[in-house]
Amino acid sequence: MTSLSASLPPTLRLVQAVGIMTSAFLSGGVLAVSYGFVPSMSQAPNTLLVREWKTTYGRGVAASPALAIVSTLSFAWLSYSLSFTLNHHKAEVYALAAVATGSIVPFTLIFMKSVNGKLNHKVENSKHLNRMEEMNETKDKKGEHSQELLDWWAVLNFTRGLLPLAGASLGIYASMMS
């Protein structure tokens, strides 16, 4: 059984590769932060923990939107290009891949804005602490501790990383459909 990908023009095959690779790369990066970075920082003093989170968060903010846009637009272009052919089902799967990958943006804004704001507030507050205060963080007025906030952020971020993974998986599936 041969894939219809081989019968696609080279431009669309390139777009397939770009969509799948950028979506998978985005997912891997996001999941690695939740699975690798957050647990490794659990023994760090709270001020270091939130400062390192801020650095890692900044790197993600710099790279993730572009990857999500490239992948989403790639899948959307494939869907649009194939919707005028006999490959309607394939076009629909690419549309789902675009939606899955692109939904990382509204997920972040809707579900993570609050915890991102709280962690950013912790970062700002940590700049005014002396060494002893840094080592002995207590819960803030709302009863939130840096580690607890970061653990919740990691759960949300992991969930968020599954969205482009679903997009990459759907993109692979569509590229293999006959």
Side-chain angles (χ1 to χ4, degrees):
M1 175 168 92
T2 60
S3 171
L4 286 179
S5 295
S7 65
L8 290 177
T11 304
L12 290 182
R13 286 198 314 252
L14 177 63
V15 173
Q16 277 179 327
V18 168
I20 292 167
M21 289 188 322
T22 55
S23 190
F25 185 79
L26 174 59
S27 176
V30 170
L31 293 173
V33 170
S34 289
Y35 185 74
F37 166 75
V38 173
S40 70
M41 290 300 296
S42 65
Q43 299 302 312
N46 292 307
T47 54
L48 176 62
L49 181 118
V50 294
R51 289 176 188 159
E52 289 298 316
W53 169 83
K54 180 69 172 182
T55 301
T56 303
Y57 174 79
R59 288 182 180 148
V61 167
S64 296
L67 293 169
I69 289 168
V70 167
S71 182
T72 300
L73 290 177
S74 296
F75 290 138
W77 186 18
L78 287 162
S79 178
Y80 177 78
S81 297
L82 295 173
S83 65
F84 299 107
T85 68
L86 296 177
N87 291 317
H88 293 292
H89 185 62
K90 192 180 237 188
E92 292 168 354
V93 175
Y94 279 125
L96 287 174
V99 169
T101 302
S103 64
I104 194 170
V105 174
F107 182 93
T108 303
L109 296 173
I110 294 167
F111 296 106
M112 297 186 74
K113 184 177 182 179
S114 175
V115 72
N116 287 345
K118 290 174 184 178
L119 285 165
N120 276 313
H121 183 72
K122 293 274 188 185
V123 171
E124 290 304 313
N125 286 346
S126 74
K127 294 177 182 175
H128 308 291
L129 300 177
N130 64 39
R131 270 287 182 225
M132 191 53 99
E133 290 171 325
E134 284 183 13
M135 300 301 283
N136 299 313
E137 182 201 36
T138 57
K139 293 183 178 188
D140 62 16
K141 294 174 191 168
K142 295 180 183 176
E144 295 169 322
H145 192 277
S146 297
Q147 184 63 54
E148 293 167 353
L149 286 171
L150 190 62
D151 289 344
W152 178 238
W153 180 88
V155 169
L156 292 173
N157 194 59
F158 188 88
T159 304
R160 180 177 157 259
L162 296 175
L163 297 169
L165 179 61
S169 300
L170 287 164
I172 291 168
Y173 174 71
S175 70
M176 296 176 67
M177 290 173 66
S178 28

